[in-house]
Amino acid sequence: MIQAADIREWRDQDVVDPKGHKIGVLEAVYVDTTTDEPAVATVRTGLPTRHRLVFVPLDEVLLGPDYLKVSYAKSLVRKAPSIGTDDVLPAEHEEAIFHYYGMTYQPGAGGERQLARR
């Protein structure tokens, strides 16, 4: 797991799938607001003139010398919920990310967001 203190140094590193296929480049990491642990990353994908940020969970992530290996296939990640490169994740779209990957979504008791960008 990526430690919260190491997040900045991994920005702009390649993100690869379990078979080593490049998915894209790490743009940002979102932490779980209840644990402050890295939970989801945005990966910059697409053509240079049409980049978008797709979301991928960081469970079981492996760190290499110049890459992060996620436990999800490139084909699955490429179809994941996404936002534009200048956009912010709307609170109402958080749940869709969790459902897409078959994960449980648990906002705070007062409706607080589960994810916060670092």
Side-chain angles (χ1 to χ4, degrees):
M1 178 58 64
I2 299 174
Q3 297 302 311
D6 299 332
I7 291 172
R8 287 194 178 119
E9 72 183 63
W10 289 103
R11 188 163 187 231
D12 294 326
Q13 297 296 320
D14 288 342
V15 177
V16 299
D17 74 1
K19 294 183 178 181
H21 299 124
K22 182 177 175 182
I23 297 169
V25 177
L26 181 73
E27 177 71 24
V29 173
Y30 288 76
V31 297
D32 185 313
T33 56
T34 57
T35 64
D36 204 36
E37 291 294 322
V40 176
T42 51
V43 180
R44 190 171 54 244
T45 65
L47 301 171
T49 58
R50 299 184 69 184
H51 281 149
R52 64 190 177 106
L53 302 175
V54 295
F55 291 88
V56 63
L58 294 174
D59 55 334
E60 301 180 35
V61 68
L62 298 174
L63 303 176
D66 292 322
Y67 65 87
L68 287 91
K69 184 181 286 188
V70 295
S71 57
Y72 300 91
K74 178 180 180 175
S75 59
L76 180 69
V77 176
R78 290 282 179 122
K79 295 176 185 173
S82 65
I83 58 175
T85 55
D86 293 329
D87 295 341
V88 176
L89 175 63
E92 61 273 10
H93 292 169
E94 278 188 3
E95 189 171 0
I97 297 166
F98 285 81
H99 284 183
Y100 180 79
Y101 287 103
M103 300 165 43
T104 303
Y105 179 69
Q106 295 181 310
E112 298 88 359
R113 298 180 72 149
Q114 185 171 348
L115 299 174
R117 185 177 171 162
R118 288 289 165 123

Short mmCIF file of all heavy atoms in Angstrom, two decimals, residues 78-105:
data_model
loop_
_atom_site.label_atom_id
_atom_site.label_comp_id
_atom_site.label_asym_id
_atom_site.label_seq_id
_atom_site.Cartn_x
_atom_site.Cartn_y
_atom_site.Cartn_z
N ARG A 78 -9.85 1.18 -18.07
CA ARG A 78 -10.13 2.13 -19.14
C ARG A 78 -11.62 2.46 -19.27
O ARG A 78 -11.99 3.51 -19.77
CB ARG A 78 -9.61 1.61 -20.48
CG ARG A 78 -8.11 1.59 -20.60
CD ARG A 78 -7.61 3.00 -20.88
NE ARG A 78 -6.17 3.05 -20.99
CZ ARG A 78 -5.52 3.49 -22.05
NH1 ARG A 78 -6.18 3.90 -23.09
NH2 ARG A 78 -4.21 3.53 -22.05
N LYS A 79 -12.50 1.57 -18.80
CA LYS A 79 -13.94 1.79 -18.88
C LYS A 79 -14.52 2.30 -17.56
O LYS A 79 -15.73 2.47 -17.43
CB LYS A 79 -14.64 0.49 -19.27
CG LYS A 79 -14.27 0.01 -20.65
CD LYS A 79 -14.89 -1.33 -20.95
CE LYS A 79 -14.41 -1.86 -22.30
NZ LYS A 79 -14.88 -3.22 -22.54
N ALA A 80 -13.67 2.55 -16.59
CA ALA A 80 -14.10 2.99 -15.25
C ALA A 80 -14.64 4.41 -15.29
O ALA A 80 -14.38 5.16 -16.24
CB ALA A 80 -12.92 2.90 -14.28
N PRO A 81 -15.37 4.79 -14.25
CA PRO A 81 -15.82 6.19 -14.16
C PRO A 81 -14.63 7.14 -14.29
O PRO A 81 -13.53 6.84 -13.82
CB PRO A 81 -16.45 6.27 -12.77
CG PRO A 81 -16.91 4.86 -12.50
CD PRO A 81 -15.85 3.99 -13.12
N SER A 82 -14.87 8.27 -14.94
CA SER A 82 -13.77 9.21 -15.18
C SER A 82 -14.25 10.65 -15.06
O SER A 82 -15.45 10.92 -15.01
CB SER A 82 -13.18 8.97 -16.57
OG SER A 82 -14.13 9.27 -17.58
N ILE A 83 -13.28 11.55 -15.04
CA ILE A 83 -13.54 12.98 -15.05
C ILE A 83 -12.56 13.62 -16.01
O ILE A 83 -11.56 13.00 -16.40
CB ILE A 83 -13.40 13.62 -13.64
CG1 ILE A 83 -11.99 13.37 -13.05
CG2 ILE A 83 -14.49 13.14 -12.70
CD1 ILE A 83 -11.73 14.07 -11.74
N GLY A 84 -12.82 14.85 -16.40
CA GLY A 84 -11.88 15.59 -17.24
C GLY A 84 -10.64 15.97 -16.45
O GLY A 84 -10.66 15.99 -15.21
N THR A 85 -9.58 16.29 -17.14
CA THR A 85 -8.31 16.60 -16.46
C THR A 85 -8.39 17.85 -15.60
O THR A 85 -7.59 18.00 -14.68
CB THR A 85 -7.16 16.74 -17.47
OG1 THR A 85 -7.51 17.72 -18.44
CG2 THR A 85 -6.87 15.41 -18.15
N ASP A 86 -9.31 18.74 -15.86
CA ASP A 86 -9.46 19.95 -15.06
C ASP A 86 -10.66 19.89 -14.13
O ASP A 86 -11.00 20.87 -13.48
CB ASP A 86 -9.60 21.18 -15.96
CG ASP A 86 -8.33 21.46 -16.74
OD1 ASP A 86 -7.23 21.16 -16.22
OD2 ASP A 86 -8.43 21.96 -17.88
N ASP A 87 -11.31 18.73 -14.07
CA ASP A 87 -12.52 18.58 -13.27
C ASP A 87 -12.21 18.10 -11.86
O ASP A 87 -11.13 17.60 -11.57
CB ASP A 87 -13.49 17.60 -13.93
CG ASP A 87 -14.01 18.10 -15.27
OD1 ASP A 87 -13.93 19.33 -15.52
OD2 ASP A 87 -14.48 17.28 -16.05
N VAL A 88 -13.21 18.25 -11.00
CA VAL A 88 -13.15 17.78 -9.62
C VAL A 88 -14.20 16.69 -9.48
O VAL A 88 -15.28 16.78 -10.07
CB VAL A 88 -13.46 18.95 -8.65
CG1 VAL A 88 -13.51 18.47 -7.22
CG2 VAL A 88 -12.43 20.05 -8.82
N LEU A 89 -13.90 15.66 -8.68
CA LEU A 89 -14.84 14.57 -8.47
C LEU A 89 -16.06 15.08 -7.69
O LEU A 89 -15.94 15.45 -6.53
CB LEU A 89 -14.18 13.43 -7.70
CG LEU A 89 -15.08 12.27 -7.29
CD1 LEU A 89 -15.64 11.57 -8.52
CD2 LEU A 89 -14.30 11.29 -6.42
N PRO A 90 -17.24 15.10 -8.33
CA PRO A 90 -18.44 15.52 -7.60
C PRO A 90 -18.80 14.48 -6.53
O PRO A 90 -18.65 13.28 -6.75
CB PRO A 90 -19.52 15.58 -8.68
CG PRO A 90 -18.80 15.57 -9.98
CD PRO A 90 -17.52 14.84 -9.74
N ALA A 91 -19.28 14.93 -5.41
CA ALA A 91 -19.63 14.04 -4.31
C ALA A 91 -20.62 12.97 -4.75
O ALA A 91 -20.51 11.81 -4.36
CB ALA A 91 -20.20 14.84 -3.13
N GLU A 92 -21.57 13.34 -5.59
CA GLU A 92 -22.59 12.38 -6.01
C GLU A 92 -22.06 11.30 -6.95
O GLU A 92 -22.73 10.32 -7.23
CB GLU A 92 -23.80 13.09 -6.63
CG GLU A 92 -23.50 13.90 -7.86
CD GLU A 92 -23.06 15.35 -7.57
OE1 GLU A 92 -22.80 15.69 -6.41
OE2 GLU A 92 -22.98 16.12 -8.55
N HIS A 93 -20.82 11.44 -7.45
CA HIS A 93 -20.24 10.43 -8.34
C HIS A 93 -19.32 9.45 -7.62
O HIS A 93 -18.87 8.47 -8.23
CB HIS A 93 -19.47 11.11 -9.47
CG HIS A 93 -20.36 11.84 -10.41
ND1 HIS A 93 -19.88 12.70 -11.37
CD2 HIS A 93 -21.71 11.87 -10.55
CE1 HIS A 93 -20.88 13.22 -12.05
NE2 HIS A 93 -22.01 12.72 -11.56
N GLU A 94 -19.03 9.69 -6.35
CA GLU A 94 -18.15 8.79 -5.59
C GLU A 94 -18.68 7.36 -5.57
O GLU A 94 -17.94 6.41 -5.79
CB GLU A 94 -17.99 9.25 -4.14
CG GLU A 94 -17.00 10.32 -3.94
CD GLU A 94 -16.76 10.61 -2.47
OE1 GLU A 94 -17.33 9.93 -1.59
OE2 GLU A 94 -15.97 11.52 -2.19
N GLU A 95 -19.95 7.23 -5.28
CA GLU A 95 -20.55 5.91 -5.14
C GLU A 95 -20.40 5.07 -6.41
O GLU A 95 -20.18 3.86 -6.36
CB GLU A 95 -22.02 6.03 -4.75
CG GLU A 95 -22.65 4.71 -4.38
CD GLU A 95 -24.04 4.88 -3.79
OE1 GLU A 95 -24.53 6.02 -3.67
OE2 GLU A 95 -24.64 3.85 -3.45
N ALA A 96 -20.48 5.69 -7.58
CA ALA A 96 -20.36 4.98 -8.86
C ALA A 96 -19.00 4.31 -9.00
O ALA A 96 -18.89 3.22 -9.56
CB ALA A 96 -20.61 5.93 -10.02
N ILE A 97 -17.96 4.95 -8.50
CA ILE A 97 -16.61 4.36 -8.56
C ILE A 97 -16.57 3.07 -7.75
O ILE A 97 -16.08 2.05 -8.23
CB ILE A 97 -15.56 5.36 -8.04
CG1 ILE A 97 -15.54 6.61 -8.93
CG2 ILE A 97 -14.18 4.71 -7.94
CD1 ILE A 97 -14.80 7.78 -8.31
N PHE A 98 -17.08 3.13 -6.55
CA PHE A 98 -17.08 1.95 -5.68
C PHE A 98 -17.92 0.82 -6.29
O PHE A 98 -17.49 -0.33 -6.29
CB PHE A 98 -17.59 2.32 -4.29
CG PHE A 98 -16.58 3.09 -3.49
CD1 PHE A 98 -16.42 4.46 -3.67
CD2 PHE A 98 -15.77 2.45 -2.57
CE1 PHE A 98 -15.48 5.16 -2.95
CE2 PHE A 98 -14.83 3.15 -1.83
CZ PHE A 98 -14.68 4.51 -2.03
N HIS A 99 -19.07 1.15 -6.81
CA HIS A 99 -19.95 0.12 -7.40
C HIS A 99 -19.32 -0.49 -8.64
O HIS A 99 -19.43 -1.69 -8.86
CB HIS A 99 -21.32 0.70 -7.71
CG HIS A 99 -22.15 0.87 -6.48
ND1 HIS A 99 -23.45 1.31 -6.51
CD2 HIS A 99 -21.89 0.67 -5.17
CE1 HIS A 99 -23.93 1.37 -5.29
NE2 HIS A 99 -22.99 1.00 -4.46
N TYR A 100 -18.65 0.31 -9.45
CA TYR A 100 -18.02 -0.19 -10.67
C TYR A 100 -17.02 -1.31 -10.34
O TYR A 100 -16.93 -2.29 -11.06
CB TYR A 100 -17.32 0.95 -11.42
CG TYR A 100 -16.65 0.50 -12.69
CD1 TYR A 100 -17.40 0.29 -13.85
CD2 TYR A 100 -15.28 0.26 -12.74
CE1 TYR A 100 -16.81 -0.15 -15.02
CE2 TYR A 100 -14.68 -0.18 -13.92
CZ TYR A 100 -15.44 -0.38 -15.04
OH TYR A 100 -14.84 -0.81 -16.20
N TYR A 101 -16.28 -1.13 -9.26
CA TYR A 101 -15.27 -2.12 -8.88
C TYR A 101 -15.79 -3.14 -7.86
O TYR A 101 -15.02 -3.95 -7.34
CB TYR A 101 -14.03 -1.41 -8.32
CG TYR A 101 -13.23 -0.72 -9.40
CD1 TYR A 101 -13.29 0.66 -9.56
CD2 TYR A 101 -12.41 -1.45 -10.25
CE1 TYR A 101 -12.55 1.29 -10.54
CE2 TYR A 101 -11.67 -0.82 -11.24
CZ TYR A 101 -11.75 0.55 -11.38
OH TYR A 101 -11.01 1.18 -12.36
N GLY A 102 -17.08 -3.12 -7.57
CA GLY A 102 -17.67 -4.10 -6.65
C GLY A 102 -17.26 -3.89 -5.21
O GLY A 102 -17.21 -4.84 -4.43
N MET A 103 -17.00 -2.64 -4.85
CA MET A 103 -16.57 -2.31 -3.49
C MET A 103 -17.74 -1.67 -2.73
O MET A 103 -18.65 -1.11 -3.33
CB MET A 103 -15.38 -1.35 -3.54
CG MET A 103 -14.18 -1.92 -4.25
SD MET A 103 -12.91 -0.71 -4.73
CE MET A 103 -12.77 0.34 -3.32
N THR A 104 -17.69 -1.74 -1.42
CA THR A 104 -18.72 -1.15 -0.57
C THR A 104 -18.46 0.34 -0.40
O THR A 104 -17.35 0.75 -0.08
CB THR A 104 -18.72 -1.82 0.81
OG1 THR A 104 -18.92 -3.22 0.63
CG2 THR A 104 -19.83 -1.26 1.69
N TYR A 105 -19.49 1.14 -0.60
CA TYR A 105 -19.40 2.58 -0.42
C TYR A 105 -20.03 2.94 0.91
O TYR A 105 -21.18 2.60 1.17
CB TYR A 105 -20.12 3.31 -1.55
CG TYR A 105 -20.08 4.81 -1.41
CD1 TYR A 105 -18.89 5.50 -1.59
CD2 TYR A 105 -21.22 5.54 -1.11
CE1 TYR A 105 -18.85 6.88 -1.47
CE2 TYR A 105 -21.19 6.91 -0.99
CZ TYR A 105 -20.00 7.58 -1.17
OH TYR A 105 -19.95 8.94 -1.05
#
